Amino acid sequence: METEQDFVSELGYLSLAVRLKRISDQMMHGARQVYKQYGLDIEPNWYLIFKLLQKRNCLSITQIGDELHFSHPSVISIVRKMRDKGFLTCTVDKADSRRQLVQLSKKALTELPQLEAFWQAGERSIAGLFEHNDDFLKKLDRLEKQYQRADFMTRTLNELNNEEQHT
Amino acid sequence: METEQDFVSELGYLSLAVRLKRISDQMMHGARQVYKQYGLDIEPNWYLIFKLLQKRNCLSITQIGDELHFSHPSVISIVRKMRDKGFLTCTVDKADSRRQLVQLSKKALTELPQLEAFWQAGERSIAGLFEHNDDFLKKLDRLEKQYQRADFMTRTLNELNNEEQHT
DNA sequence: CTTATTTATGTAGTTAACTACATAAATGTA
DNA sequence: TACATTTATGTAGTTAACTACATAAATAAG
């Protein structure tokens, strides 16, 4: 009755990083396929910026990075692509000429309702993978908070030192 | 009493992909730092190949990819780096001249016990992020199996069609 | 036994994130 | 007010995975 176990999942927590990356990549790739199939000229993670600016109206590059927990170079590259496709307008802040103020364009506001339908379908399709009342997202919150307290290197070095004390 | 919620986690399942990728990247980055700190000349995901060959002794590129659920180009690139560092030996299969037989080198066998200590510390450091008797890995198994049945695009297109039927 | 199909490996180019460094503007301090 | 520090953005280069296409060997089919 013992089912043939998968080698990677046999490795337990050790293979967590590679498994999480794989699932994430699959979702991202799937999203790209959906957009392509429907001829939508957007990319997978743009929804983060769309939704953030819908809520906050007008933000700088750094503010966007802080809210989304992205490095600023990542934000620059996403914002630039979205601007080139006409979804964002960027203007220099009059009070501080270093800052870019990023806003949704008219085109974005017009197309947002249509895009929402896709995002909601995507959300439902992921939610459907979990059981009703699943606490996966809560566990994820917890995991993220733990990493804010101490990163992987720190934790691993601690474990190495603990081991040495035992031997 | 309401704590200031994080924008990304407010998005629910929709932001799952980006959150999983972020955690995975952090772990990978941390591992690279640990190796660097201890002057170990290996890279984060090599342990998958080390451990697989420890168990299976001698495998081809394609077999490795199948076991680890990696594409064969990924395996080629990892194996090549490990071989260049002297951890693997590659020989052409006499029965089938297309195949590469990949094995652990003497150097690998000598160094494995030392590397094991790091991997075990890494494993403990991740396990420590979860509560005792946590079922996170089981949920992950389930998630992966669901995706083997139907990928993200298929699921999302289904949801889009369901929605259309309601309107 | 020749041709078609499948399998194994290899190559090229893409992805979305990152770090490290560079520059320039704003702010704080002596 | 000059100089030092901090902040905002920009650039370059790296990462680990992927897909799509290319080639060559082995196997199957007629």
Side-chain angles (χ1 to χ4, degrees), chain A:
Chain A
M1 213 53 201
E2 187 68 23
T3 53
E4 172 70 24
Q5 248 297 12
D6 177 77
F7 176 76
V8 175
S9 62
E10 260 175 29
L11 294 171
Y13 289 117
L14 195 54
S15 63
L16 192 59
V18 79
R19 293 172 76 187
L20 295 182
K21 175 161 168 45
R22 181 142 52 217
I23 291 181
S24 171
D25 282 348
Q26 282 170 353
M27 288 179 175
M28 212 86 95
H29 181 68
R32 207 173 306 122
Q33 284 181 296
V34 173
Y35 291 146
K36 197 176 172 186
Q37 181 132 346
Y38 279 83
L40 295 175
D41 205 11
I42 60 173
E43 289 179 29
N45 277 343
W46 291 8
Y47 77 93
L48 289 166
I49 309 254
F50 276 123
K51 285 197 157 281
L52 180 60
L53 289 177
Q54 205 170 24
K55 186 185 176 193
R56 302 287 307 277
N57 192 31
C58 179
L59 294 173
S60 73
I61 299 286
T62 308
Q63 286 174 319
I64 293 172
D66 288 347
E67 293 267 10
L68 301 183
H69 310 301
F70 273 31
S71 68
H72 79 268
S74 300
V75 177
I76 288 174
S77 118
I78 298 174
V79 162
R80 191 172 294 169
K81 280 186 252 175
M82 291 178 73
R83 187 202 57 194
D84 292 349
K85 293 288 182 182
F87 291 112
L88 299 179
T89 58
C90 301
T91 51
V92 173
D93 186 351
K94 279 178 188 169
D96 183 342
S97 68
R98 293 170 307 176
R99 306 176 86 207
Q100 294 254 17
L101 297 179
V102 183
Q103 269 185 304
L104 293 175
S105 69
K106 264 184 194 161
K107 177 182 172 185
L109 294 171
T110 311
E111 296 193 12
L112 265 172
Q114 189 206 343
L115 297 175
E116 275 290 351
F118 285 88
W119 299 333
Q120 280 173 22
E123 164 125 44
R124 286 198 303 276
S125 91
I126 297 171
L129 294 169
F130 296 94
E131 281 158 18
H132 191 59
N133 276 338
D134 196 284
D135 62 348
F136 193 87
L137 290 182
K138 271 187 194 152
K139 287 175 190 295
L140 202 55
D141 277 340
R142 189 161 177 276
L143 203 53
E144 286 169 341
K145 290 213 177 83
Q146 297 267 50
Y147 266 116
Q148 282 165 16
R149 293 220 331 269
D151 66 15
F152 181 83
M153 178 171 75
T154 311
R155 290 173 184 280
T156 303
L157 294 180
N158 283 343
E159 291 294 336
L160 273 169
N161 294 336
N162 287 349
E163 183 60 18
E164 272 156 26
Q165 282 166 15
H166 291 311
T167 54

Side-chain angles (χ1 to χ4, degrees), chain A residues 153-154 157 160, chain B residues 30-40 118:
Chain A
M153 178 171 75
T154 311
L157 294 180
L160 273 169
Chain B
R32 206 171 306 121
Q33 284 182 294
V34 172
Y35 291 145
K36 196 175 172 185
Q37 182 132 345
Y38 279 82
L40 296 175
F118 286 88

Side-chain angles (χ1 to χ4, degrees), chain B residues 31-75:
Chain B
R32 206 171 306 121
Q33 284 182 294
V34 172
Y35 291 145
K36 196 175 172 185
Q37 182 132 345
Y38 279 82
L40 296 175
D41 205 11
I42 61 172
E43 290 179 27
N45 277 343
W46 291 8
Y47 77 92
L48 289 166
I49 308 253
F50 277 123
K51 286 200 155 274
L52 180 61
L53 289 176
Q54 206 171 23
K55 187 186 177 194
R56 302 288 305 278
N57 193 30
C58 179
L59 293 173
S60 71
I61 299 286
T62 309
Q63 285 174 318
I64 293 173
D66 288 347
E67 294 268 10
L68 301 183
H69 311 301
F70 273 33
S71 68
H72 79 269
S74 300
V75 177

Side-chain angles (χ1 to χ4, degrees), chain B residues 10 14-15 28-29 51 59 82 88 102 119 123 165:
Chain B
E10 260 175 29
L14 195 54
S15 64
M28 211 88 93
H29 181 68
K51 286 200 155 274
L59 293 173
M82 292 178 71
L88 299 179
V102 182
W119 300 333
E123 164 124 42
Q165 282 165 17

Side-chain angles (χ1 to χ4, degrees), chain B residues 1 8 16 19 32 37 40 47 52 68 77-78 89 99 105 122 124 129 133:
Chain B
M1 213 51 201
V8 175
L16 192 58
R19 293 171 75 187
R32 206 171 306 121
Q37 182 132 345
L40 296 175
Y47 77 92
L52 180 61
L68 301 183
S77 116
I78 298 174
T89 58
R99 304 176 86 206
S105 70
R124 286 198 304 274
L129 295 170
N133 278 338

